[in-house]
Amino acid sequence: MTSSSAPQDPTAKAAKAPKDPWDLPDVSGLVVGVLGGTGEQGRGLAYRFALAGQKVIIGSRAADRAREAAAELGHGVEGADNAETARRSDVVIVAVPWDGHAKTLESLREELAGKLVVDCVNPLGFDKKGAYALKPEEGSAAEQAAALLPDSRVTAAFHHLSAVLLQDASVDEIDIDVMVLGEERADVEIVQALAGRIAGMRGVFAGRLRNAHQVESLVANLISVNRRYKAHAGLRITGV
């Protein structure tokens, strides 16, 4: 009597289970550098990462200024000039003013080669009506970074964080989702994991770099929200 079932091919490979999107790497040992670390956003990010136990170096055009800011932050934060910060870091967050974005990255192309770069710059203009989004020739600040740093792995994240909340030592958790964009899944997941190191935060994949413009631009809307409601608004993505 023969069986109705087909014989199993011993050489056939079992179907690979899809990767859990929340299975993120351990990034606790990575050194995080912050270019523009003496500015409000940069200081805030440096403080939160250091508080989470991450090794942090803040960079500035002037090393003395960076060291002074690092001493004020404490928690083991170090200060250096931008070039040294880039060289010594595994992940480099770009938190410089938009008007100095291109010049800063051009000057650090060699030091940033091979590095994971996280651009959090928001190209904005301001007039009597408030903040409004600017559109760089490349499409976004992140795409400009990718064009200027062909040997780096560029991602985009940390755009919608309040510098006030980041630096407020009385705030234990920051209730916000961080939209992360990039071309390579492994790079995006590292940034997501870094976001998750900060209490209350979650990193969420939000597309490739071609979608960075609308993420950067949304900050103009958040500024309007904050001014009207005297708040420090952020974003939460529901359903995931």
Side-chain angles (χ1 to χ4, degrees):
M1 185 174 181
T2 59
S3 171
S4 59
S5 60
Q8 293 291 324
D9 180 357
T11 64
K13 294 182 179 179
K16 189 175 181 181
K19 187 179 187 301
D20 180 352
W22 299 111
D23 180 17
L24 301 174
D26 177 9
V27 295
S28 59
L30 297 181
V31 178
V32 176
V34 185
L35 303 181
T38 58
E40 296 301 310
Q41 193 79 356
R43 284 172 64 99
L45 285 167
Y47 171 69
R48 289 292 163 175
F49 281 122
L51 199 64
Q54 214 74 36
K55 175 60 186 173
V56 178
I57 307 170
I58 58 174
S60 174
R61 286 176 297 177
D64 289 344
R65 186 180 175 196
R67 285 191 284 267
E68 181 180 341
E72 292 172 358
L73 289 173
H75 299 283
V77 176
E78 293 185 37
D81 63 33
N82 283 331
E84 182 181 346
T85 298
R87 282 193 298 267
R88 293 178 55 196
S89 301
D90 300 305
V91 179
V92 180
I93 298 174
V94 181
V96 299
W98 167 240
D99 58 6
H101 183 260
K103 185 176 180 180
T104 299
L105 296 183
E106 283 175 336
S107 70
L108 298 171
R109 182 176 296 167
E110 182 177 341
E111 291 83 359
L112 291 171
K115 305 286 184 176
L116 176 53
V117 175
V118 187
D119 201 297
C120 69
V121 175
N122 302 302
L124 298 176
F126 295 86
D127 59 20
K128 63 182 180 180
K129 294 182 180 181
Y132 60 95
L134 302 175
K135 185 133 185 203
E137 182 179 347
E138 298 84 354
S140 64
E143 288 170 293
Q144 183 183 86
L148 293 172
L149 303 172
D151 298 320
S152 302
R153 297 138 53 208
V154 177
T155 61
F158 303 115
H159 301 91
H160 307 139
L161 309 182
S162 163
V164 173
L165 291 183
L166 287 172
Q167 296 185 68
D168 189 341
S170 70
V171 176
D172 295 325
E173 294 189 0
I174 300 179
D175 183 30
I176 193 170
D177 281 334
V178 173
M179 300 177 76
V180 184
L181 303 98
E183 299 302 318
E184 299 295 334
R185 180 166 184 163
D187 293 336
V188 168
E189 289 182 346
I190 289 172
V191 181
Q192 286 182 263
L194 280 171
R197 296 275 290 163
I198 299 176
M201 285 191 195
R202 182 178 66 157
V204 180
F205 172 64
R208 294 178 178 268
L209 290 185
R210 67 181 183 181
N211 292 319
H213 172 65
Q214 56 263 38
V215 174
E216 296 169 0
S217 300
L218 189 57
V219 174
N221 302 88
L222 289 175
I223 290 172
S224 298
V225 170
N226 291 337
R227 287 182 173 174
R228 174 64 62 89
Y229 298 103
K230 311 299 181 189
H232 301 293
L235 299 177
R236 272 297 190 198
I237 299 172
T238 62
V240 294

Coordinates of all heavy atoms in Angstrom, one line a residue, residues 10 32 74 78 169:
P10 N 15.4 15.3 1.0 CA 16.3 15.6 2.1 C 17.2 16.8 1.9 O 17.8 17.4 2.8 CB 17.1 14.3 2.2 CG 17.0 13.7 0.9 CD 15.7 14.1 0.3
V32 N 29.5 56.8 20.6 CA 28.6 57.8 19.8 C 29.3 59.2 19.8 O 29.6 59.7 20.9 CB 27.2 57.9 20.5 CG1 26.4 58.9 19.8 CG2 26.5 56.5 20.4
G74 N 29.0 65.9 32.2 CA 29.4 64.9 33.1 C 29.1 63.5 32.5 O 29.0 63.3 31.3
E78 N 33.1 63.0 26.8 CA 34.4 63.7 26.4 C 34.1 64.7 25.3 O 33.1 64.7 24.6 CB 35.4 62.7 25.9 CG 35.9 61.7 26.9 CD 37.0 60.8 26.4 OE1 37.8 61.2 25.5 OE2 37.0 59.6 26.7
A169 N 17.1 67.4 33.4 CA 17.5 66.3 34.3 C 16.3 65.8 35.1 O 16.4 64.6 35.6 CB 18.6 66.7 35.2

